[in-house]
């Protein structure tokens, strides 16, 4: 095996990274639902969000479509908190999505972002200028817990919005306790 060989050595880290990279799509789907529910329009919401290419733009579109309706329902602050949490999850996702991984014999999974080196305005003659970072299972677990928090907050906003607007909603909704965003890097 030559692709992501280091993930064989660090399977727990690999699983957590994979869940965040692949799971970010679930956050985008819940973003879409948050706008769709408050606007009662799946077609326009889906097309406005997913005809655009960038993840950050999808968050911006959702914010533009749903911010005022959620404020009108009295839960605009919680919607803004959810948008902020998803933005932070995107930062985590992008940190890991645009990098290379290897075992540098430090007993931790190493990674570096080639884009950082490519942005330098000097000639690159080797890869020694890469900023090497490491991940640990506890740090990755804290980041994944933040993804779960962001998702729970979005679901609460959707359901509370539905209840306030007189639409069907899940009973016994509990606003998730605020969670401090984990550090991007250890």
């Amino acid at each position: 095996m030559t692709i992501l060989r280091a993930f064989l050595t660090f399977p727990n880290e690999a699983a957590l990274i994979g869940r965040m990279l692949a799971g970010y799509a679930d956050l985008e789907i819940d973003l879409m639902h948050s706008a769709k529910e408050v606007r009662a329009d799946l077609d326009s919401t889906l097309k406005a969000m997913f005809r655009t290419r960038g993840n950050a733009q999808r968050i911006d579109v959702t914010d533009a479509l749903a911010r005022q309706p959620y404020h009108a329902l009295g839960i605009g602050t919680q919607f803004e908190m959810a948008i902020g949490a998803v933005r932070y999850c995107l930062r985590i996702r992008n940190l890991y999505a645009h990098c290379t991984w290897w075992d540098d014999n430090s007993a931790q999974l190493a990674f570096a972002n080639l884009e950082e080196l490519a942005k330098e305005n000097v000639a690159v003659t080797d890869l020694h200028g890469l900023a090497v970072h490491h991940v640990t299972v506890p740090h990755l677990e804290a980041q994944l817990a933040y993804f779960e928090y962001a998702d729970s907050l979005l679901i609460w906003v959707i359901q509370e919005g539905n209840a306030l607007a007189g639409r069907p909603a899940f009973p016994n909704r509990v606003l998730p306790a605020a969670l401090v965003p984990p550090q991007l890097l250890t």
Side-chain angles (χ1 to χ4, degrees):
M1 178 176 193
T2 59
I3 303 285
L4 292 175
R5 209 172 22 244
F7 278 22
L8 294 175
T9 306
F10 298 95
N12 295 329
E13 292 86 341
L16 291 164
I17 292 162
R19 284 186 64 196
M20 286 185 281
L21 290 177
Y24 182 80
D26 285 356
L27 291 177
E28 285 192 335
I29 296 299
D30 285 342
L31 274 173
M32 181 198 63
H33 283 296
S34 72
K36 182 253 321 176
E37 287 295 320
V38 78
R39 295 173 54 83
D41 183 0
L42 174 61
D43 182 64
S44 295
T45 302
L46 181 133
K47 289 175 180 173
M49 284 184 65
F50 289 98
R51 283 186 176 173
T52 185
R53 189 74 175 123
N55 302 92
Q57 290 174 335
R58 289 187 188 121
I59 298 170
D60 291 344
V61 167
T62 302
D63 191 18
L65 292 173
R67 179 183 291 254
Q68 295 312 317
Y70 278 116
H71 273 284
L73 289 171
I75 57 172
T77 299
Q78 292 85 355
F79 174 73
E80 290 172 14
M81 290 171 52
I83 289 289
V86 173
R87 283 189 202 283
Y88 197 80
C89 290
L90 178 58
R91 289 181 63 194
I92 295 169
R93 177 223 172 254
N94 286 346
L95 176 67
Y96 299 140
H98 305 290
C99 63
T100 184
W101 301 91
W102 72 96
D103 181 355
D104 66 354
N105 297 314
S106 67
Q108 293 181 331
L109 181 59
F111 73 99
N113 188 325
L114 293 171
E115 290 175 348
E116 291 174 7
L117 191 57
K119 290 177 184 174
E120 297 289 325
N121 290 328
V122 297
V124 177
T125 58
D126 58 41
L127 298 180
H128 289 60
L130 282 173
V132 178
H133 306 284
H134 295 89
V135 292
T136 64
V137 168
H139 184 242
L140 293 167
E141 288 174 336
Q143 289 177 329
L144 181 60
Y146 197 77
F147 272 61
E148 296 290 342
Y149 161 74
D151 194 52
S152 295
L153 189 52
L154 276 171
I155 291 169
W156 182 89
V157 165
I158 293 166
Q159 294 304 318
E160 189 67 14
N162 282 343
L164 291 168
R167 293 185 300 268
F170 294 137
N172 305 319
R173 295 168 303 284
V174 177
L175 179 65
L179 190 61
V180 175
Q183 291 182 326
L184 286 176
L185 300 169
T186 56

